[in-house]
Every structure is written in structure tokens, then in C-alpha cells.
Amino acid sequence: SSSKRGGGGGGNQRRQVRSEESELTSALSRLVCPRAADLRRLCVVPGRYAWRLACDVSVLSADGNVLDAASWAMRAALRGTLLPRVTAVEREVA
């Protein structure tokens, strides 16, 4: 068909890929994020400042269970993440 050769229908394929990416992102956020990092350790100043973690996952081949592979990769990446020690300094506003 022409859609497999890059002809008409490419928009449908891109929408399908975006939908799958969205589903994977949502599942990883629900399954991995709550258990992967101690949220108390991300706090710099309670109620004001905290580290925000972001993790990008690139799927090079989807020949197996992408969710399992991506979740293991995220867990390993977050487990090996070291955050610098920081101290928030309050400044007076003139």
C-alpha cells in the first residue's frame, strides 16, 4: 500500500505512534515514578523548592515488551542518579 511507502496515510501512522508514546509515558509515570525515587530526598526547601526529575526513554526496537524494558531502564537510571547537595539562600527584595 502507499502508506507503507511513505505515501498517503502517514498522518494516521504518526497519530498512532504519538498515541502509543502517550500510553507508554502514562504507564511509566504510574508504575515507576512513585517507587523509583524517595520524594523526601528531592525536597530542597519544604513547600518551596524541590528537584524535578525527568527521564527520556528511546525505544530502538519494539520486538518484545516495551513497557517492561522501559521500566527497568528507568529504574536503573534513577537508582544511579546522584543529586548535588544544594542550599537555598533567601534574598530580601528591595
Side-chain angles (χ1 to χ4, degrees):
S1 86
S2 64
S3 64
K4 290 183 182 176
R5 290 188 216 107
N12 288 336
Q13 186 176 9
R14 282 191 297 273
R15 278 191 292 278
Q16 177 66 29
V17 168
R18 281 195 301 268
S19 174
E20 290 171 0
E21 289 171 347
S22 179
E23 288 177 29
L24 181 60
T25 298
S26 178
L28 288 171
S29 294
R30 283 191 326 270
L31 298 172
V32 177
C33 294
R35 294 168 191 85
D38 181 0
L39 298 181
R40 294 171 295 195
R41 298 189 72 203
L42 297 178
C43 182
V44 176
V45 175
R48 303 237 11 229
Y49 303 109
W51 287 101
R52 182 189 326 183
L53 300 178
C55 190
D56 293 327
V57 175
S58 296
V59 178
L60 303 178
S61 177
D63 293 338
N65 191 328
V66 175
L67 182 59
D68 281 350
S71 65
W72 280 106
M74 280 184 65
R75 284 184 184 109
L78 292 171
R79 189 175 304 125
T81 299
L82 298 175
L83 298 174
R85 293 189 188 271
V86 295
T87 304
V89 178
E90 298 284 334
R91 289 193 237 167
E92 290 186 28
V93 179

